[in-house]
Amino acid sequence: IVVKHADLLDENCAIARSAGVLGERWVWVILRQAFNGARRFEDFQRGIGLARNVLTERLNWLVDHGIFERHRYSEGAVRDLNEYRLTAKGRALFPVYVALMKWGNEWTGLAEPPVELLHKPCGHRADARVVCSECGEDIVARDTEPVIGRGLIMFRENRR
């Protein structure tokens, strides 16, 4: 069996579906720019240096998947100009973005982090942590195990 990238969107698995949307090349770099304040096409292109056609394709992908909303800011004789604003779904990716940045700073051979996050309310540099929503303890892989969720139960019942 050969699984194509687009097939991931049909899997009954949150990781596979997330990879189907977010695993496209350039998506995280575009999201980085958005989290750093980019909204206009030119801001994304200047910050990334990506070919216009590829950037257009990826921005359309992110709009189609509800990560960005397109808002017109100028109607021109040649073309309309749009801003790309993160939706609630897109803003919900911020903790994933921070975790990915932390992993990259530690494991990709950087001598020192090129960018750190300043937590403006307290004035300190912040780092990503994954904690249990119930007890507040840090979560590590060895202290977790997957258990059947409602989605798998419903999937199995619908296949009968």
Side-chain angles (χ1 to χ4, degrees), residues 4-157:
K4 295 181 180 173
H5 186 86
D7 295 337
L8 294 173
L9 295 170
D10 297 326
E11 292 287 324
N12 187 35
C13 170
I15 298 297
R17 285 179 178 228
S18 297
V21 175
L22 303 171
E24 287 288 335
R25 191 179 307 174
W26 299 109
V27 163
W28 282 105
V29 180
I30 292 168
L31 287 170
R32 176 198 66 199
Q33 293 305 113
F35 286 125
N36 289 331
R39 284 189 165 188
R40 297 182 178 179
F41 185 92
E42 292 74 21
D43 297 334
F44 287 103
Q45 190 181 38
R46 187 172 38 258
I48 301 169
L50 192 56
R52 294 181 74 81
N53 63 323
V54 176
L55 179 57
T56 298
E57 181 182 302
R58 291 303 185 266
L59 286 169
N60 288 338
W61 173 265
L62 291 166
V63 168
D64 291 346
H65 286 278
I67 307 291
F68 283 120
E69 289 178 334
R70 190 180 288 113
H71 294 270
R72 181 172 291 131
Y73 70 88
S74 177
E75 295 182 27
V78 177
R79 69 180 199 275
D80 294 339
L81 300 176
N82 297 296
E83 287 187 338
Y84 296 88
R85 298 181 190 165
L86 288 162
T87 62
K89 184 177 181 179
R91 289 187 303 275
L93 289 167
F94 186 73
V96 182
Y97 162 77
V98 173
L100 193 59
M101 182 190 304
K102 178 180 178 177
W103 184 89
N105 284 339
E106 186 171 340
W107 295 103
T108 62
L110 295 167
E112 291 292 331
V115 175
E116 295 176 308
L117 296 178
L118 177 71
H119 186 231
K120 293 189 288 188
C122 75
H124 290 93
R125 292 173 189 246
D127 202 6
R129 288 180 50 206
V130 179
V131 299
C132 176
S133 59
E134 299 301 315
C135 70
E137 292 290 319
D138 285 355
I139 294 176
V140 294
R142 70 178 173 271
D143 292 338
T144 67
E145 72 177 87
V147 295
I148 293 174
R150 292 186 307 266
L152 185 56
I153 293 167
M154 291 170 41
F155 176 77
R156 287 179 176 170
E157 288 175 355

